[in-house]
Amino acid sequence: MTAPASSLVSSLVARARSRLPGALGTRLLLFLGAAIVLTALLQGLLAYRNALLQTDTLFDYQMQQTAFALRAGLPVDARGRPQGTPPEDENHEFIVQVWTNEGLRIFESALGAALPQMAVLGFADVPARGTVYRVFSLQTRSQVIQVAQDMRVRRTLARDAAWQSLLPIALLAPVLALAVWWVVRSSLAPVQRVRRELATRRPQDLAPVPAEGLPDEVRPLVAELNALLQRVGQAFEAQQHFVADAAHELRSPLAALKLQLVALQRAPDVAAHDEAVQRLSAGIDRATRLVEQLLTLARQEAQGTVQGTAPGVQGVQGQHGASAAAPAEVDLREVVEQALADQAVAAQQHGLDMGLSEPPQLRQSFAVAGDAQSLQMLVRNLLDNAVKYVPQGGRVDVGWRSDAQGRALVVEDSGPGIAESERELVLRRFVRGPSAASAASAGQQAQGSGLGLAIVQTIAERHGARLLLDRSPTLGGLRVQVIWPPVSGR
């Protein structure tokens, strides 16, 4: 097929597809109807071909038997000449001729229907009288007998037989179409039931769709729909809880800001005025930090996950579920070094010894698949927590661990740590463990909002890692490990 012809066929197919109705039931009826019509046509062609073959076999046998019956000779009339067929009984569709061995025609069944004398014995197709005759020639000791039949007779008989075979199909076609329509409608009835049920639901109704009675081809679709509804319900519930918690947590800093503003307005002297300004500024900073963390946590929880290129590694999706970008290889060591540089000033102000726990000559790459910005946020929150809760003159070390259980980013400090009974509790949003609260109340550092570790855990889970809190064996304080599963082939 040439290129123009191929493009023409492609355009015709595309045009036909574009004109197909969108309803599945209508498509099935059209395709089944077309299949029935095509099958009927093929059956008619095959019936015509088989009837023609059978007709040829039957009439060839009849012609042979007629020629064999005339081998004994022909009756003669009173004048001693072979008698022919009376004109009123002439039949030009079936002709018999007898020739002598010298080439003299001594008999013909129809006057004026002379066929050429055949030198070839047996069967042959001979054009004559504007048509084609099937001729059988038989030679005896004294004569040549020719029996011929018009091929149009055979074709007519074969066509009539084919029409007779198609007649039952034509009569039963309405019944067959009705049966097909009923089967299609009955098969799609459960799908229509699901459609009506979903159309009448309220937006808040996220109950699973019943799958009873659905075809096996539709069950996986309904199962995925139910899974989607479940995820949407969980996200909606989490969002409601988050909004409620956020509203509750914002009341306290806003109330504190209002009180500090009142204290500023009532300051009796310059010293009290300056102190009130500092407290108001610190309160604004805390409120700003709380709002930033709330927005960060909301953004992280709104993002979904997709499978990454390596086992246990997940990519990042946008808020609407579409993949924002394929997971890229991120050098976590570079992320840590940048976060340490960003926290260097705060660590110096609080007299903390913060840095990598290994010498530069042992520096190795620690690459994970994920989003660099989210990983920077993870490390920054871990270091920020350490700055808040480690006493002055303390130590914060960042290192790495790699063994059969996986690879881990390790951040440990010499602070008060978190009691084992409180470690699961502090991973919740807006929750600060009693140990941290007592340490903050003792004047170590400003209190946090209870969101830092929750953000770390959310980012870790999005990247296929898990968060582990325990006591540091070397520094005695809190040790936080972000553990990625081992990568095959490394």
Side-chain angles (χ1 to χ4, degrees):
M1 183 180 294
T2 60
S6 177
S7 60
L8 177 61
V9 171
S10 301
S11 62
L12 290 177
V13 171
R15 185 178 303 175
R17 289 180 177 176
S18 64
R19 293 182 178 178
L20 284 175
L24 179 59
T26 306
R27 285 193 176 192
L28 288 176
L29 289 175
L30 288 178
F31 285 131
L32 291 176
I36 292 173
V37 172
L38 181 60
T39 302
L41 293 177
L42 291 176
Q43 181 178 354
L45 293 176
L46 293 176
Y48 174 76
R49 181 176 177 273
N50 293 334
L52 186 60
L53 291 176
Q54 294 176 2
T55 303
D56 287 341
T57 302
L58 178 61
F59 280 106
D60 285 351
Y61 177 76
Q62 183 183 5
M63 292 168 61
Q64 281 182 313
Q65 296 304 313
T66 302
F68 291 153
L70 296 176
R71 286 184 299 180
L74 294 171
V76 295
D77 57 13
R79 292 177 295 178
R81 294 181 301 172
Q83 68 178 19
T85 304
E88 63 273 11
D89 296 332
E90 288 184 354
N91 182 5
H92 290 276
E93 295 178 353
F94 193 85
I95 302 173
V96 178
Q97 294 185 149
V98 181
W99 304 74
T100 64
N101 289 333
E102 290 78 14
L104 176 64
R105 184 172 63 247
I106 59 176
F107 177 81
E108 58 183 356
S109 62
L111 298 177
L115 296 176
Q117 183 180 10
M118 297 296 298
V120 178
L121 302 179
F123 287 100
D125 295 334
V126 178
R129 302 176 58 82
T131 184
V132 177
Y133 282 87
R134 179 74 166 171
V135 180
F136 177 73
S137 300
L138 175 65
Q139 185 177 17
T140 64
R141 289 179 297 177
S142 60
Q143 59 190 8
V144 175
I145 302 172
Q146 288 183 333
V147 181
Q149 185 183 32
D150 192 345
M151 294 294 292
R152 289 178 298 186
V153 176
R154 301 187 179 191
R155 297 191 184 97
T156 302
L157 293 175
R159 185 170 58 251
D160 292 342
W163 278 116
Q164 290 296 325
S165 66
L166 287 178
L167 184 60
I169 297 180
L171 295 177
L172 293 176
V175 179
L176 184 60
L178 183 61
V180 169
W181 173 81
W182 181 82
V183 170
V184 171
R185 183 176 181 182
S186 301
S187 301
L188 295 180
V191 181
Q192 294 296 330
R193 172 180 58 81
V194 172
R195 181 191 65 81
R196 290 192 298 269
E197 181 180 348
L198 291 176
T200 56
R201 280 193 177 188
R202 298 175 61 86
Q204 297 83 2
D205 188 1
L206 300 176
V209 178
E212 291 78 9
L214 291 176
D216 293 340
E217 293 78 7
V218 183
R219 283 179 180 272
L221 177 62
V222 175
E224 293 298 330
L225 176 61
N226 288 335
L228 176 61
L229 291 176
Q230 182 180 6
R231 293 193 296 270
V232 172
Q234 293 173 351
F236 185 69
E237 183 179 1
Q239 194 69 17
Q240 286 182 322
H241 292 166
F242 176 82
V243 171
D245 293 342
H248 178 270
E249 289 297 320
L250 283 173
R251 289 194 188 100
S252 297
L254 292 178
L257 288 177
K258 186 174 182 180
L259 293 175
Q260 290 163 1
L261 179 61
V262 172
L264 176 62
Q265 294 173 344
R266 297 178 179 178
D269 51 31
V270 176
H273 181 275
D274 293 340
E275 183 180 358
V277 169
Q278 292 179 357
R279 290 181 178 179
L280 179 61
S281 177
I284 293 175
D285 291 339
R286 286 194 296 271
T288 302
R289 176 62 177 168
L290 175 60
V291 172
E292 290 177 352
Q293 288 188 315
L294 285 173
L295 294 177
T296 299
L297 183 60
R299 183 168 58 251
Q300 293 297 326
E301 288 186 343
Q303 292 176 341
T305 58
V306 293
Q307 290 296 328
T309 55
V313 179
Q314 294 177 322
V316 182
Q317 283 189 327
Q319 295 183 3
H320 299 287
S323 179
E329 285 290 327
V330 179
D331 190 348
L332 199 58
R333 184 179 300 274
E334 294 182 359
V335 173
V336 169
E337 291 176 351
Q338 181 62 43
L340 287 173
D342 295 339
Q343 292 287 340
V345 176
Q348 290 177 0
Q349 290 178 350
H350 295 93
L352 300 181
D353 179 11
M354 178 183 293
L356 291 174
S357 61
E358 62 181 16
Q361 59 267 23
L362 297 179
R363 185 181 189 276
Q364 296 179 355
S365 175
F366 189 92
V368 296
D371 178 56
Q373 184 177 2
S374 297
L375 293 173
Q376 288 175 359
M377 192 177 303
L378 179 146
V379 178
R380 187 165 57 247
N381 275 275
L382 290 177
L383 298 181
D384 184 64
N385 275 352
V387 170
K388 287 179 180 178
Y389 297 112
V390 175
Q392 289 191 359
R395 178 178 172 184
V396 180
D397 287 345
V398 182
W400 323 94
R401 179 180 61 81
S402 180
D403 51 30
Q405 283 71 36
R407 302 177 303 158
L409 167 66
V410 182
V411 179
E412 51 188 339
D413 59 55
S414 60
I418 300 176
E420 185 175 357
S421 58
E422 303 172 9
R423 290 169 188 167
E424 183 177 355
L425 184 66
V426 296
L427 296 179
R428 301 177 186 176
R429 295 173 301 182
F430 308 111
V431 174
R432 300 175 63 249
S435 300
S438 61
S441 62
Q444 291 177 357
Q445 301 297 339
Q447 296 186 20
S449 59
L451 289 174
L453 290 178
I455 294 174
V456 170
Q457 185 179 39
T458 301
I459 298 176
E461 290 176 350
R462 286 183 52 229
H463 287 78
R466 62 186 179 93
L467 191 64
L468 178 62
L469 306 182
D470 58 5
R471 178 169 293 277
S472 172
T474 57
L475 302 181
L478 176 67
R479 181 173 68 173
V480 181
Q481 299 184 74
V482 183
I483 306 173
W484 279 266
V487 180
S488 59
R490 293 189 179 182

